[in-house]
Amino acid sequence: MSSVNHESAEQANGKRHDEAAFGASKLGRKDHWNSVYDREINNFKETGDIGEVWFGEDTASKMVSWVCSNIDDPSARILDVGCGNGHLLLELSEEGYTNLVGTDYSAQAIELAQSIAQSRQAEITYVEQDFLDAQDVARVAGDDGFDVVLDKGTYDAICLKPKDTEAESVDQTAIEAYPVSVVGSLKDSGVFLITS
C-alpha cells in the first residue's frame, strides 16, 4: 500500500513547514530549466553528450539497483517525475523494463529525453506535465496509476519554487501539492522512491 509521510523534518522538530530555512532559487523556476535544457539539446546535437546526470551516476545507479531488486515485473508501469534528460529511464530500459514514462514541466527537457531515447532505440514515453496540477497528474496516471514513481531531485526544485517571479520566499502551495500528486500518480499498491 502506498503512503506518503506529510510531515517534514521541520515539522518533526517543532517548526512549521513555512519556517523552512531556505528561500526561493532559480533552481525552482521553469525558465531556468528551459534555458538549461536548450543548452543540453544543442550539446547533444553537436557532441552526442546526454548532459548532466543530476546527483551523479552513483545515485542513479542506486535507484536502478533498488528497482531491479524490488520490482520483479519488467512490464510494471514506472513514472520518473521531472525526468530531465531521461537518464534514469534509459538505465531501467537497459535492465529490461518496458513500461516507462518520464515527465517534466520543461518542453525542452522532454525534447532532449526523446532525442536521446530515439538515438539509443529505447522505447520510452516522455510527456510534458505539470506535476503540481491535479488534472495533469490524472491525465498522465490514467485509470490504472503507476506501480512505481521515481523522483531524483524534482522535489528539491519544487521546494525552491518562488511564489512568483520576483519572490524570495518559496511557494508553499507547490510544496503541499507535491505529496498529493505522488499519491494521485500511484496505484494503491504502488511504490514511491525519492532521492533528495
Side-chain angles (χ1 to χ4, degrees), residues 86-180:
H87 175 265
L88 193 56
L89 294 179
L90 288 167
E91 296 295 315
L92 288 170
S93 177
E94 289 178 11
E95 293 293 334
Y97 291 91
T98 58
N99 200 352
L100 305 171
V101 178
T103 64
D104 204 293
Y105 72 165
S106 170
Q108 289 86 337
I110 295 301
E111 179 184 342
L112 175 62
Q114 289 171 333
S115 296
I116 295 167
Q118 183 178 17
S119 75
R120 295 190 180 182
Q121 299 176 335
E123 292 192 30
I124 302 170
T125 301
Y126 291 105
V127 180
E128 189 175 347
Q129 178 194 37
D130 179 352
F131 194 66
L132 302 177
D133 178 89
Q135 289 181 330
D136 216 13
V137 168
R139 173 184 64 88
V140 173
D143 293 334
D144 296 329
F146 289 90
D147 297 294
V148 180
V149 173
L150 304 172
D151 177 347
K152 187 170 62 69
T154 299
Y155 183 62
D156 295 337
I158 289 169
C159 287
L160 298 172
K161 183 180 184 292
K163 282 184 181 177
D164 57 51
T165 56
E166 300 300 319
E168 291 184 22
S169 59
V170 296
D171 183 350
Q172 291 299 317
T173 305
I175 294 169
E176 292 164 7
Y178 178 86
V180 174

Side-chain angles (χ1 to χ4, degrees), residues 2 5 9 14 18 28 31 39-40 53 61 68 72 93 95 99-100 103 121 144 148 177-178 184:
S2 64
N5 181 354
D18 58 41
D31 64 328
R39 283 191 310 274
E40 300 273 340
V53 177
S61 293
C68 292
D72 296 329
S93 177
E95 293 293 334
N99 200 352
L100 305 171
T103 64
Q121 299 176 335
D144 296 329
V148 180
Y178 178 86

